Amino acid sequence: MLTLKRTNSLRNAAIASRISTRYGSTMNVFACVLGSGVAGSSVAYHLNKRNIKDVLLLERASSAASPRSTSFHSPGLVSASHPAHRYKPILAYSIELYSRLEKETGVVRFSFFLLESTDVILVITEDERKIDFQPTGTIRLATHETRLSEFKRYVSRDYYKEGDVSKTTLLTPDQVHELAPDIDCSQILGALYTTNDGTVSSRGLTQALVAGAKSGGVQVIDGAIPRQIRYDKEKGHWIVELEDGTTVLTRNLINAGGIWANDIARLSGHDLPVVIVEHQYAVLKPKSPPAPMPALIDHDSTFYIRKRQSCDEYLFGGFEPLDRVVIREDWSKKGVPNEGSSLVKPDFSRLEQAHQRACELLPRLKDAEIEAHAAVFNMTPDGYPLVGPYDKNYWLTTGFLDGVSSGGGIGKYLADWIVDGEPPAELFDTDASRFERWADRKFVRERCRETYSMYYNWSYTDRLAARPTDRISGIYGRLKKEGATFAFRNGWEVPQAFKVDEEEGLLSTLMREYQKVTNKCGVVDMSWRGKIEVKGRDAEALMDYVIASRIPPLGKIGSGVMLTRKGNVLAPFMIFHHDRQRSAFIVLTEPERESRDLYWLRRAAAERHLNVQVSCVSEYLASLALVGPNSREVLSSLTKSDVSDEGFPQRSTRMIRLGPVGVVCARSSTATGQLSYEFFHNRAETSKLYEAIISAGRPHGIVNFGQATFNMMRLEHGYKIWGRELTLDTNPYECGLGGLVDLSKVDFIGRASAEEFSKQTQFKKRLALVTFDLTESQVPLDTRYIPVGNEVIRREGQEERIGQITSGAYSVRLQKPIAFAWIDSSVGANDRLVVEMGDKKLLGTILESLPHAPIQ
C-alpha cells in the first residue's frame, strides 16, 4: 500500500471539485440504494443486470467497505448450509456469483482519499477489488450425541434442488482429520462437511460489486449522508435530501444502511426492529505455519475459524454467552456515530470460553499471538434479515448476520422483486414487516440477545426470551395450567399438545388426543391465525380481482387462492363472506404471511383505485374450534339456533349466540376431515366462551387438543397448507388446486399465466401422499423416525433424489407415518421409496386415495 500526503491546496481543490458537481443539484432515478456494503452493492449490481441503468448508489463513507462499516469486518465465511431449506438457493447462488465475479469485474489498482486534519492522504491498494474466493468447504463439528443426531437429521434433509453447487455430507472423525490435520479429533464424534463453501475477501467483494454496478451505468456517490426523506403521494416518489444540498427523486428507495439502517428509517418516520450488537474477533498468529483446512465451526462453543489465504494466520471469532452479549442500545436511541465500528474497543475476554475450546480442538492455537478486533452488526430478533417492501416502494435489505453468505443471493432476490413486482421465490423468513404491530422494544432487545448467543444452535428452536408477547389468546393462562406446550409463530403462542408425559413420550400423548377428538370431540385454540378484514364499497370488486376463484356469496365460506402475475401460488385463503348489514370479508391466512398478504391486497386496491379498507384484525378477533363427531350435540346445548344439516349446512356461516358470547360461527370440515365448527369472537370474551364450551362438552367427552393432533387429522384428510405444500414456488395445477382457478372469470391477477399452466398435461413434479411401513423397515415407533419435513426421497436401491417431504406425522388411523411430498412425475404407484432418517431407512409407497372420507 502506498501513502502520499498532499498539500492543503490540493486538498481544497479536490473537495471543491467534488462539491461543485453535486451541491444543490437534483437527481431523478428509478432506484436509489442507501448503503454500499455487500447488501446495497449487490442490489445495485443485480438491478443493473436486469437492464435497469437508472440506479443511484449512495455511500455515507469515503468509499464502500470502509473500516467504520460492517462489510469491512466480515469474516468472509461463505456457507450454503442453513437450518431453513428455503435459504439454500440464495446461498448457492452467492457461491456461484462469487466464484466468477472477480473475473467479470477485473483486478485493478484502486485508490481513494482519506481526509485527515488538513491533509489529504491518497491510499493506493493493488488488490482492493480482489475477491479471492477460495472453495475450501466448511466443517461443522459435533462433539456430543445431541449435535451428531442433529447433523444426521440435517443430512437426511439434503435439499431437493437442481443445480446445487454445494453438497453436505456427514464425516467420521478420521475423515475430519484428513481434511484438517491440525484438529485434535479425540473429542470429535462426527461433522457436517459442505463442499464448495469457502472464504472471500469481504472488502474485495464489496468493491467488485460496486465496480460491476458502475461498469453497467449505476451512479455511485461516496460521502453522501441523507438529511431528510419524505414521500410525495401525488407524484408517487421518494424525496431524499442529502447534507450537501443534493436532492434525489426516486421511484424506489432501498434502505441498505447496515448499522445506520434505523437512523435512515427514522428520517421518514419508520422504526425498524433491529439492534446494534458488538462482535468480537481476532487474528491469531501461531508460531508454526498452520496446515490448510476448510473453514471450521463449532456449534456448541459457537466459534468460527478459518485460515487466512494470504498468510499463515487464522481469523477467529465467536458469539458470546448470553450474559456477555453487548447491545449498543445507546446508539439505537441516539443514532449511530459516523465513525461506526471504528469506535468499538476490542474486549477479547468476552470470547474466553470459545477461545479455550478452540485451543483444545486446535492445539496449535495455544501459543498463538492474539490481535483483537471488534465491530458492530445490525441484527433482527430471529437472526434473519429484513428484506422486501416496508412501505410504498420503500424497500429494506438490512439486519444481516450472514451478510457475505447471503448477500449475493438476497441482492438478486430483491432486485428481481423490484423489477417484476412480485417475489421470485418463497422466502417468507425474511419478510420486512414480520415484526410489525406486535414486537415491542423489550422483545426486540431480549430476543436479539438470545439469538446472537445461540447463533449456531440449530437444534434448540423453542427459544424463550421475551415470551410471551402481547399476542396471546384470552385463554393462554388457562391452557398453560391444563398442561399445554406452546410453539412460537410470529409472536403468537400456539398450543401444540397437552399433558405430555416425559416417560410416555410425545407420540403416545398425541395418539391419545387424536383418539379422544375423533371418537368424541375436542376444542382447539385457533386465535393465532392471521385474519384480514376487507370491507367497504368496493370490497367485492377487490376480492374478485385478487382471488382466482369465485368469491363465496353472503353467509358462505369459500376456499380461494391468490396468484402472482406469473401464476404461482401467493396465498391460499379460507374466505368468510359475512355481515348482516353490508358485504364484508374475513380472510384467514398464516401468521408468517400476514404482512405480505396485507401488502398485496392494499397494492391491488390502490392499483384499481378501489374504495375499500384492508385491515389486520388478528389481535382482537379470536377463534376457538370445536371438532369431532359429538360437536353438534355440544353446539346445540349452547344455542337456540338451528344447527342441523338443513339449518346450518356445510361451508356456511351464522351469527349466533353461544351462552354469553356472540360469535360468527363457521361450519367446515375442509381442514380436519371431521365435523367442525369455528367460533370467531372478540378476544376479550375468549375465556367466557371457552368455559361455556368446556361446561357443555363434559357430558360428551370433550378434551383440549393442539396443533400436533390437528396436523395428524389434516394429513389423513389430504389437506395442504401454505409454507409446507403450497408456496410461491408452486402453481395451482401441479399441486392439485386447479379447481380453485376459475378461468371463466374475465379478470383476476395471474389469469393469463394460470391459463397457460392449465394447458399443460404434465409437470416435472407432483404432490403426493406417502406412507411408510415401520415393521417392514424394521424401525421402531419413535418420533425420531417419523418424517416431518424436508427429508429427501429416493427410489429403493438408487441414489438419485426423486422427491422431498413437505410435512409429515404419525397416522393413528393407518398406524404408520404419513407425509406429503413433492415427487418426480416419473414416479409410479408401484415404485418403492426410501427416506433416510439418521441411521435408519424408511420404506414407503404412494397413497393413491385418502385414508377416509370426510365426516360431515
Side-chain angles (χ1 to χ4, degrees), residues 30-68:
F30 171 80
C32 176
V33 185
L34 300 173
S36 66
V38 172
S41 60
S42 180
V43 174
Y45 171 88
H46 286 97
L47 281 171
N48 190 249
K49 289 297 182 182
R50 290 297 307 272
N51 205 32
I52 304 296
K53 311 291 185 182
D54 197 13
V55 178
L56 178 64
L57 180 60
L58 302 180
E59 169 57 43
R60 69 188 298 122
S62 57
S63 70
S66 75
R68 66 184 68 175

Side-chain angles (χ1 to χ4, degrees), residues 301-376:
S301 55
T302 64
F303 74 76
Y304 60 82
I305 188 169
R306 72 173 178 92
K307 182 181 178 297
R308 300 181 78 181
Q309 301 301 326
S310 58
C311 53
D312 292 330
E313 300 173 347
Y314 293 105
L315 186 65
F316 172 87
F319 297 87
E320 298 97 304
L322 187 65
D323 61 343
R324 305 295 310 267
V325 177
V326 175
I327 291 176
R328 297 302 301 264
E329 199 66 0
D330 55 335
W331 286 8
S332 295
K333 293 177 180 178
K334 299 177 183 178
V336 179
N338 282 334
E339 294 82 359
S341 287
S342 300
L343 295 177
V344 182
K345 296 180 179 180
D347 182 3
F348 195 72
S349 67
R350 301 214 294 259
L351 291 181
E352 182 178 2
Q353 293 180 13
H355 181 246
Q356 288 178 354
R357 183 58 175 154
C359 290
E360 293 174 7
L361 295 172
L362 283 164
R364 189 182 298 273
L365 299 179
K366 291 180 180 179
D367 60 358
E369 177 188 343
I370 300 173
E371 181 185 293
H373 297 272
V376 287

Side-chain angles (χ1 to χ4, degrees), residues 105-116:
T105 59
V107 180
V108 299
R109 169 170 285 204
F110 181 80
S111 62
F112 58 91
F113 287 105
L114 291 179
L115 305 183
E116 289 191 359

Side-chain angles (χ1 to χ4, degrees), residues 2 127 157-158 332 376 397 400 427 571 582 699 721 792 796:
L2 177 63
D127 61 351
R157 297 175 175 184
D158 192 14
S332 295
V376 287
T397 176
F400 291 84
L427 201 63
R582 66 194 187 287
I721 61 173
V792 170
E796 187 178 17

Side-chain angles (χ1 to χ4, degrees), residues 573-631:
F573 284 149
M574 184 67 73
I575 305 165
F576 298 88
H577 193 173
H578 73 99
D579 205 310
R580 294 177 179 175
Q581 310 299 327
R582 66 194 187 287
S583 184
F585 299 88
I586 294 292
V587 175
L588 293 187
T589 182
E590 300 295 323
E592 297 86 355
R593 204 185 62 227
E594 192 176 67
S595 58
R596 188 173 75 184
D597 292 345
L598 270 172
Y599 172 82
W600 191 263
L601 288 165
R602 287 170 176 171
R603 194 183 75 165
E607 178 186 319
R608 289 292 177 103
H609 305 288
L610 300 176
N611 184 350
V612 63
Q613 294 83 52
V614 181
S615 308
C616 178
V617 295
S618 304
E619 267 71 21
Y620 68 83
L621 185 61
S623 71
L624 300 176
L626 184 60
V627 179
N630 292 351
S631 296

